[in-house]
Amino acid sequence: IDDRTSDQQISRDIPTNNQTSSLPSTEEEERTSAGVLEEFLEIPGTEAVLVVAEGGLVVESAGSLASMDLEVIGASVAMVLNGAEKMCTELALQEILTLTLESDDALIMCTAIGRAVLVITAPNSKTIGMIRNRTQKKIGDLVKRYAQQTLF
C-alpha cells in the first residue's frame, strides 16, 4: 500500500467538519437514555418515571422526584411485584405484563421492560387510559435497552 492509499483510507474514516461520527460517545448514550424517559413525561398527567431492576434498585429516573425516596420506591416495587408473581404462579397464570395501583390521590403503573420494570406515577387516575395507550407506543426503546442487560 502506498502513502496515497493510506491517506485516502484515513480521510474516509475520520469525520470532517461536515460529517458526524457514527459511534456514539458515552455522553450521547446517557443523553439518549434520559431522553427516552423524558418522552414518558410528555404524557399528560405523568409526574415521574423510574426504571427499577428486579432487586429493587432504581436504575434511572426522571420527573418530579423531590419528595420521593427512590430506595423506598424501588424496594416497594420489587416487593409488590414479587408478591404478584407468586400469586400468578399459585394460580397458574401467565407472566405479569402490567400492574396498576390506583388510589384517590395517585396512580402507579408498573410495566415489564425486559429485565427491569418501568414505573410511572401520576397524581390521579383521570388519565390512566392515555397513560396506558401512550406507554405501549413508547416502550419499545426501553424493552430493547433492558432485554439483555444484567441489572442485578
Side-chain angles (χ1 to χ4, degrees):
I1 299 176
D2 64 17
D3 288 340
R4 284 182 300 158
T5 306
S6 297
D7 290 343
Q8 287 173 355
Q9 181 64 38
I10 291 170
S11 67
R12 281 195 302 256
D13 292 342
I14 299 173
T16 64
N17 290 340
N18 297 332
Q19 298 173 325
T20 58
S21 173
S22 61
L23 297 174
S25 69
T26 304
E27 187 175 309
E28 287 173 336
E29 288 173 1
E30 288 175 14
R31 204 173 323 122
T32 302
S33 180
V36 171
L37 291 185
E38 292 291 331
E39 287 179 20
F40 286 93
L41 294 175
E42 295 171 5
I43 301 170
T46 301
E47 279 186 330
V49 182
L50 302 96
V51 175
V52 179
E54 189 175 77
L57 173 68
V58 175
V59 180
E60 296 183 271
S61 62
S64 302
L65 303 163
S67 64
M68 298 182 187
D69 183 339
L70 296 182
E71 288 183 21
V72 171
I73 291 173
S76 297
V77 166
M79 187 170 42
V80 168
L81 287 174
N82 285 335
E85 287 174 358
K86 286 180 183 178
M87 182 176 64
C88 287
T89 300
E90 290 296 319
L91 297 172
L93 301 175
Q94 292 183 2
E95 189 175 313
I96 295 172
L97 302 176
T98 301
L99 178 66
T100 305
L101 305 168
E102 295 179 62
S103 69
D104 289 337
D105 61 348
L107 166 73
I108 302 170
M109 189 173 81
C110 304
T111 304
I113 53 169
R115 298 188 60 174
V117 177
L118 176 69
V119 180
I120 296 178
T121 66
N124 56 53
S125 60
K126 291 178 183 175
T127 58
I128 189 171
M130 187 181 311
I131 291 172
R132 277 190 181 137
N133 181 282
R134 294 200 183 162
T135 296
Q136 291 307 312
K137 290 179 182 179
K138 294 178 180 287
I139 207 163
D141 288 338
L142 290 176
V143 170
K144 289 176 194 170
R145 182 180 308 274
Y146 291 104
Q148 303 299 323
Q149 285 190 351
T150 302
L151 301 172
F152 23 78

PDB file of all heavy atoms in Angstrom, residues 83-110:
ATOM      1  N   GLY A  83     -44.591 -10.429  45.133  1.00  0.00           N
ATOM      2  CA  GLY A  83     -45.831 -10.998  45.672  1.00  0.00           C
ATOM      3  C   GLY A  83     -46.833 -11.319  44.572  1.00  0.00           C
ATOM      4  O   GLY A  83     -47.473 -12.376  44.584  1.00  0.00           O
ATOM      5  N   ALA A  84     -46.971 -10.411  43.611  1.00  0.00           N
ATOM      6  CA  ALA A  84     -47.901 -10.636  42.494  1.00  0.00           C
ATOM      7  C   ALA A  84     -47.451 -11.825  41.641  1.00  0.00           C
ATOM      8  O   ALA A  84     -48.286 -12.622  41.194  1.00  0.00           O
ATOM      9  CB  ALA A  84     -48.011  -9.378  41.648  1.00  0.00           C
ATOM     10  N   GLU A  85     -46.146 -11.959  41.428  1.00  0.00           N
ATOM     11  CA  GLU A  85     -45.635 -13.094  40.656  1.00  0.00           C
ATOM     12  C   GLU A  85     -45.887 -14.412  41.367  1.00  0.00           C
ATOM     13  O   GLU A  85     -46.231 -15.415  40.739  1.00  0.00           O
ATOM     14  CB  GLU A  85     -44.143 -12.912  40.359  1.00  0.00           C
ATOM     15  CG  GLU A  85     -43.879 -11.856  39.307  1.00  0.00           C
ATOM     16  CD  GLU A  85     -42.404 -11.571  39.110  1.00  0.00           C
ATOM     17  OE1 GLU A  85     -41.559 -12.160  39.825  1.00  0.00           O
ATOM     18  OE2 GLU A  85     -42.091 -10.735  38.242  1.00  0.00           O
ATOM     19  N   LYS A  86     -45.734 -14.433  42.705  1.00  0.00           N
ATOM     20  CA  LYS A  86     -46.030 -15.651  43.468  1.00  0.00           C
ATOM     21  C   LYS A  86     -47.504 -16.018  43.343  1.00  0.00           C
ATOM     22  O   LYS A  86     -47.861 -17.182  43.208  1.00  0.00           O
ATOM     23  CB  LYS A  86     -45.644 -15.469  44.936  1.00  0.00           C
ATOM     24  CG  LYS A  86     -44.156 -15.514  45.162  1.00  0.00           C
ATOM     25  CD  LYS A  86     -43.790 -15.330  46.618  1.00  0.00           C
ATOM     26  CE  LYS A  86     -42.285 -15.309  46.775  1.00  0.00           C
ATOM     27  NZ  LYS A  86     -41.868 -15.079  48.144  1.00  0.00           N
ATOM     28  N   MET A  87     -48.370 -14.998  43.395  1.00  0.00           N
ATOM     29  CA  MET A  87     -49.799 -15.237  43.248  1.00  0.00           C
ATOM     30  C   MET A  87     -50.099 -15.812  41.857  1.00  0.00           C
ATOM     31  O   MET A  87     -50.875 -16.764  41.729  1.00  0.00           O
ATOM     32  CB  MET A  87     -50.580 -13.937  43.450  1.00  0.00           C
ATOM     33  CG  MET A  87     -52.085 -14.109  43.350  1.00  0.00           C
ATOM     34  SD  MET A  87     -52.994 -12.590  43.717  1.00  0.00           S
ATOM     35  CE  MET A  87     -52.456 -11.535  42.398  1.00  0.00           C
ATOM     36  N   CYS A  88     -49.471 -15.283  40.824  1.00  0.00           N
ATOM     37  CA  CYS A  88     -49.673 -15.796  39.463  1.00  0.00           C
ATOM     38  C   CYS A  88     -49.210 -17.242  39.344  1.00  0.00           C
ATOM     39  O   CYS A  88     -49.862 -18.053  38.696  1.00  0.00           O
ATOM     40  CB  CYS A  88     -48.938 -14.924  38.446  1.00  0.00           C
ATOM     41  SG  CYS A  88     -49.732 -13.334  38.176  1.00  0.00           S
ATOM     42  N   THR A  89     -48.102 -17.552  39.985  1.00  0.00           N
ATOM     43  CA  THR A  89     -47.593 -18.922  39.963  1.00  0.00           C
ATOM     44  C   THR A  89     -48.590 -19.860  40.638  1.00  0.00           C
ATOM     45  O   THR A  89     -48.913 -20.924  40.107  1.00  0.00           O
ATOM     46  CB  THR A  89     -46.222 -19.005  40.668  1.00  0.00           C
ATOM     47  OG1 THR A  89     -45.311 -18.148  39.989  1.00  0.00           O
ATOM     48  CG2 THR A  89     -45.687 -20.425  40.672  1.00  0.00           C
ATOM     49  N   GLU A  90     -49.084 -19.477  41.803  1.00  0.00           N
ATOM     50  CA  GLU A  90     -50.056 -20.302  42.541  1.00  0.00           C
ATOM     51  C   GLU A  90     -51.340 -20.514  41.744  1.00  0.00           C
ATOM     52  O   GLU A  90     -51.954 -21.573  41.821  1.00  0.00           O
ATOM     53  CB  GLU A  90     -50.385 -19.666  43.890  1.00  0.00           C
ATOM     54  CG  GLU A  90     -49.246 -19.715  44.881  1.00  0.00           C
ATOM     55  CD  GLU A  90     -48.873 -21.136  45.264  1.00  0.00           C
ATOM     56  OE1 GLU A  90     -49.769 -21.989  45.461  1.00  0.00           O
ATOM     57  OE2 GLU A  90     -47.656 -21.410  45.360  1.00  0.00           O
ATOM     58  N   LEU A  91     -51.749 -19.494  40.988  1.00  0.00           N
ATOM     59  CA  LEU A  91     -52.989 -19.577  40.215  1.00  0.00           C
ATOM     60  C   LEU A  91     -52.762 -20.075  38.792  1.00  0.00           C
ATOM     61  O   LEU A  91     -53.684 -20.118  37.996  1.00  0.00           O
ATOM     62  CB  LEU A  91     -53.673 -18.209  40.169  1.00  0.00           C
ATOM     63  CG  LEU A  91     -54.114 -17.648  41.520  1.00  0.00           C
ATOM     64  CD1 LEU A  91     -54.603 -16.216  41.365  1.00  0.00           C
ATOM     65  CD2 LEU A  91     -55.194 -18.531  42.135  1.00  0.00           C
ATOM     66  N   ALA A  92     -51.519 -20.461  38.487  1.00  0.00           N
ATOM     67  CA  ALA A  92     -51.137 -20.946  37.159  1.00  0.00           C
ATOM     68  C   ALA A  92     -51.468 -19.927  36.072  1.00  0.00           C
ATOM     69  O   ALA A  92     -51.955 -20.262  34.999  1.00  0.00           O
ATOM     70  CB  ALA A  92     -51.789 -22.297  36.865  1.00  0.00           C
ATOM     71  N   LEU A  93     -51.182 -18.661  36.358  1.00  0.00           N
ATOM     72  CA  LEU A  93     -51.393 -17.587  35.386  1.00  0.00           C
ATOM     73  C   LEU A  93     -50.086 -17.298  34.657  1.00  0.00           C
ATOM     74  O   LEU A  93     -49.012 -17.616  35.157  1.00  0.00           O
ATOM     75  CB  LEU A  93     -51.879 -16.311  36.085  1.00  0.00           C
ATOM     76  CG  LEU A  93     -53.180 -16.423  36.879  1.00  0.00           C
ATOM     77  CD1 LEU A  93     -53.458 -15.117  37.605  1.00  0.00           C
ATOM     78  CD2 LEU A  93     -54.335 -16.785  35.959  1.00  0.00           C
ATOM     79  N   GLN A  94     -50.212 -16.663  33.508  1.00  0.00           N
ATOM     80  CA  GLN A  94     -49.012 -16.279  32.768  1.00  0.00           C
ATOM     81  C   GLN A  94     -48.328 -15.097  33.446  1.00  0.00           C
ATOM     82  O   GLN A  94     -48.845 -14.515  34.398  1.00  0.00           O
ATOM     83  CB  GLN A  94     -49.380 -15.931  31.333  1.00  0.00           C
ATOM     84  CG  GLN A  94     -49.851 -17.143  30.549  1.00  0.00           C
ATOM     85  CD  GLN A  94     -50.151 -16.800  29.099  1.00  0.00           C
ATOM     86  OE1 GLN A  94     -49.984 -15.671  28.664  1.00  0.00           O
ATOM     87  NE2 GLN A  94     -50.590 -17.792  28.349  1.00  0.00           N
ATOM     88  N   GLU A  95     -47.170 -14.738  32.913  1.00  0.00           N
ATOM     89  CA  GLU A  95     -46.344 -13.659  33.447  1.00  0.00           C
ATOM     90  C   GLU A  95     -47.094 -12.322  33.458  1.00  0.00           C
ATOM     91  O   GLU A  95     -47.852 -12.011  32.552  1.00  0.00           O
ATOM     92  CB  GLU A  95     -45.106 -13.543  32.550  1.00  0.00           C
ATOM     93  CG  GLU A  95     -44.041 -12.639  33.053  1.00  0.00           C
ATOM     94  CD  GLU A  95     -42.820 -12.692  32.146  1.00  0.00           C
ATOM     95  OE1 GLU A  95     -42.385 -13.806  31.802  1.00  0.00           O
ATOM     96  OE2 GLU A  95     -42.332 -11.618  31.799  1.00  0.00           O
ATOM     97  N   ILE A  96     -46.857 -11.524  34.492  1.00  0.00           N
ATOM     98  CA  ILE A  96     -47.469 -10.201  34.609  1.00  0.00           C
ATOM     99  C   ILE A  96     -46.848  -9.269  33.574  1.00  0.00           C
ATOM    100  O   ILE A  96     -45.626  -9.198  33.446  1.00  0.00           O
ATOM    101  CB  ILE A  96     -47.235  -9.597  36.013  1.00  0.00           C
ATOM    102  CG1 ILE A  96     -47.938 -10.436  37.059  1.00  0.00           C
ATOM    103  CG2 ILE A  96     -47.694  -8.148  36.079  1.00  0.00           C
ATOM    104  CD1 ILE A  96     -47.609 -10.019  38.472  1.00  0.00           C
ATOM    105  N   LEU A  97     -47.691  -8.553  32.843  1.00  0.00           N
ATOM    106  CA  LEU A  97     -47.214  -7.570  31.882  1.00  0.00           C
ATOM    107  C   LEU A  97     -47.262  -6.165  32.481  1.00  0.00           C
ATOM    108  O   LEU A  97     -46.343  -5.385  32.341  1.00  0.00           O
ATOM    109  CB  LEU A  97     -48.045  -7.620  30.602  1.00  0.00           C
ATOM    110  CG  LEU A  97     -48.062  -8.979  29.884  1.00  0.00           C
ATOM    111  CD1 LEU A  97     -48.999  -8.930  28.699  1.00  0.00           C
ATOM    112  CD2 LEU A  97     -46.655  -9.370  29.465  1.00  0.00           C
ATOM    113  N   THR A  98     -48.391  -5.853  33.140  1.00  0.00           N
ATOM    114  CA  THR A  98     -48.577  -4.535  33.747  1.00  0.00           C
ATOM    115  C   THR A  98     -49.329  -4.700  35.057  1.00  0.00           C
ATOM    116  O   THR A  98     -50.261  -5.486  35.151  1.00  0.00           O
ATOM    117  CB  THR A  98     -49.383  -3.599  32.822  1.00  0.00           C
ATOM    118  OG1 THR A  98     -48.690  -3.459  31.586  1.00  0.00           O
ATOM    119  CG2 THR A  98     -49.565  -2.229  33.427  1.00  0.00           C
ATOM    120  N   LEU A  99     -48.903  -3.944  36.051  1.00  0.00           N
ATOM    121  CA  LEU A  99     -49.578  -3.927  37.344  1.00  0.00           C
ATOM    122  C   LEU A  99     -49.894  -2.468  37.643  1.00  0.00           C
ATOM    123  O   LEU A  99     -49.010  -1.613  37.604  1.00  0.00           O
ATOM    124  CB  LEU A  99     -48.674  -4.506  38.431  1.00  0.00           C
ATOM    125  CG  LEU A  99     -49.234  -4.511  39.852  1.00  0.00           C
ATOM    126  CD1 LEU A  99     -50.420  -5.446  39.963  1.00  0.00           C
ATOM    127  CD2 LEU A  99     -48.147  -4.922  40.828  1.00  0.00           C
ATOM    128  N   THR A 100     -51.168  -2.180  37.896  1.00  0.00           N
ATOM    129  CA  THR A 100     -51.588  -0.804  38.146  1.00  0.00           C
ATOM    130  C   THR A 100     -52.177  -0.696  39.544  1.00  0.00           C
ATOM    131  O   THR A 100     -53.027  -1.498  39.928  1.00  0.00           O
ATOM    132  CB  THR A 100     -52.646  -0.364  37.113  1.00  0.00           C
ATOM    133  OG1 THR A 100     -52.112  -0.555  35.802  1.00  0.00           O
ATOM    134  CG2 THR A 100     -53.011   1.099  37.286  1.00  0.00           C
ATOM    135  N   LEU A 101     -51.711   0.304  40.284  1.00  0.00           N
ATOM    136  CA  LEU A 101     -52.234   0.591  41.618  1.00  0.00           C
ATOM    137  C   LEU A 101     -52.898   1.964  41.567  1.00  0.00           C
ATOM    138  O   LEU A 101     -52.281   2.933  41.118  1.00  0.00           O
ATOM    139  CB  LEU A 101     -51.098   0.590  42.647  1.00  0.00           C
ATOM    140  CG  LEU A 101     -50.259  -0.681  42.700  1.00  0.00           C
ATOM    141  CD1 LEU A 101     -49.009  -0.452  43.536  1.00  0.00           C
ATOM    142  CD2 LEU A 101     -51.070  -1.820  43.266  1.00  0.00           C
ATOM    143  N   GLU A 102     -54.141   2.023  42.009  1.00  0.00           N
ATOM    144  CA  GLU A 102     -54.869   3.284  41.989  1.00  0.00           C
ATOM    145  C   GLU A 102     -55.373   3.627  43.384  1.00  0.00           C
ATOM    146  O   GLU A 102     -55.821   2.761  44.119  1.00  0.00           O
ATOM    147  CB  GLU A 102     -56.094   3.183  41.070  1.00  0.00           C
ATOM    148  CG  GLU A 102     -55.777   2.977  39.615  1.00  0.00           C
ATOM    149  CD  GLU A 102     -57.043   2.867  38.782  1.00  0.00           C
ATOM    150  OE1 GLU A 102     -57.824   3.849  38.749  1.00  0.00           O
ATOM    151  OE2 GLU A 102     -57.248   1.800  38.182  1.00  0.00           O
ATOM    152  N   SER A 103     -55.303   4.909  43.709  1.00  0.00           N
ATOM    153  CA  SER A 103     -55.925   5.424  44.929  1.00  0.00           C
ATOM    154  C   SER A 103     -56.549   6.765  44.567  1.00  0.00           C
ATOM    155  O   SER A 103     -56.449   7.207  43.424  1.00  0.00           O
ATOM    156  CB  SER A 103     -54.885   5.586  46.052  1.00  0.00           C
ATOM    157  OG  SER A 103     -53.993   6.636  45.755  1.00  0.00           O
ATOM    158  N   ASP A 104     -57.208   7.413  45.528  1.00  0.00           N
ATOM    159  CA  ASP A 104     -57.828   8.699  45.243  1.00  0.00           C
ATOM    160  C   ASP A 104     -56.818   9.760  44.834  1.00  0.00           C
ATOM    161  O   ASP A 104     -57.128  10.667  44.066  1.00  0.00           O
ATOM    162  CB  ASP A 104     -58.617   9.201  46.462  1.00  0.00           C
ATOM    163  CG  ASP A 104     -59.877   8.391  46.690  1.00  0.00           C
ATOM    164  OD1 ASP A 104     -60.376   7.771  45.733  1.00  0.00           O
ATOM    165  OD2 ASP A 104     -60.370   8.377  47.845  1.00  0.00           O
ATOM    166  N   ASP A 105     -55.595   9.635  45.339  1.00  0.00           N
ATOM    167  CA  ASP A 105     -54.623  10.695  45.072  1.00  0.00           C
ATOM    168  C   ASP A 105     -53.367  10.216  44.337  1.00  0.00           C
ATOM    169  O   ASP A 105     -52.354  10.914  44.301  1.00  0.00           O
ATOM    170  CB  ASP A 105     -54.206  11.373  46.376  1.00  0.00           C
ATOM    171  CG  ASP A 105     -53.544  10.415  47.355  1.00  0.00           C
ATOM    172  OD1 ASP A 105     -53.603   9.195  47.136  1.00  0.00           O
ATOM    173  OD2 ASP A 105     -52.960  10.899  48.333  1.00  0.00           O
ATOM    174  N   ALA A 106     -53.427   9.030  43.711  1.00  0.00           N
ATOM    175  CA  ALA A 106     -52.240   8.551  42.997  1.00  0.00           C
ATOM    176  C   ALA A 106     -52.565   7.411  42.036  1.00  0.00           C
ATOM    177  O   ALA A 106     -53.545   6.691  42.211  1.00  0.00           O
ATOM    178  CB  ALA A 106     -51.183   8.080  43.987  1.00  0.00           C
ATOM    179  N   LEU A 107     -51.721   7.307  41.049  1.00  0.00           N
ATOM    180  CA  LEU A 107     -51.727   6.187  40.114  1.00  0.00           C
ATOM    181  C   LEU A 107     -50.283   5.740  39.984  1.00  0.00           C
ATOM    182  O   LEU A 107     -49.385   6.564  39.790  1.00  0.00           O
ATOM    183  CB  LEU A 107     -52.251   6.611  38.735  1.00  0.00           C
ATOM    184  CG  LEU A 107     -52.002   5.616  37.597  1.00  0.00           C
ATOM    185  CD1 LEU A 107     -52.922   4.414  37.746  1.00  0.00           C
ATOM    186  CD2 LEU A 107     -52.197   6.281  36.255  1.00  0.00           C
ATOM    187  N   ILE A 108     -50.049   4.449  40.126  1.00  0.00           N
ATOM    188  CA  ILE A 108     -48.722   3.884  39.917  1.00  0.00           C
ATOM    189  C   ILE A 108     -48.889   2.725  38.945  1.00  0.00           C
ATOM    190  O   ILE A 108     -49.644   1.788  39.212  1.00  0.00           O
ATOM    191  CB  ILE A 108     -48.092   3.381  41.231  1.00  0.00           C
ATOM    192  CG1 ILE A 108     -47.992   4.516  42.240  1.00  0.00           C
ATOM    193  CG2 ILE A 108     -46.722   2.763  40.958  1.00  0.00           C
ATOM    194  CD1 ILE A 108     -47.615   4.068  43.637  1.00  0.00           C
ATOM    195  N   MET A 109     -48.212   2.823  37.817  1.00  0.00           N
ATOM    196  CA  MET A 109     -48.300   1.779  36.805  1.00  0.00           C
ATOM    197  C   MET A 109     -46.922   1.168  36.615  1.00  0.00           C
ATOM    198  O   MET A 109     -45.947   1.877  36.369  1.00  0.00           O
ATOM    199  CB  MET A 109     -48.807   2.348  35.480  1.00  0.00           C
ATOM    200  CG  MET A 109     -49.117   1.273  34.464  1.00  0.00           C
ATOM    201  SD  MET A 109     -49.903   1.921  32.982  1.00  0.00           S
ATOM    202  CE  MET A 109     -48.464   2.512  32.122  1.00  0.00           C
ATOM    203  N   CYS A 110     -46.833  -0.143  36.756  1.00  0.00           N
ATOM    204  CA  CYS A 110     -45.581  -0.883  36.607  1.00  0.00           C
ATOM    205  C   CYS A 110     -45.701  -1.780  35.379  1.00  0.00           C
ATOM    206  O   CYS A 110     -46.617  -2.593  35.303  1.00  0.00           O
ATOM    207  CB  CYS A 110     -45.310  -1.745  37.832  1.00  0.00           C
ATOM    208  SG  CYS A 110     -45.274  -0.828  39.382  1.00  0.00           S
TER     209      CYS A 110
END
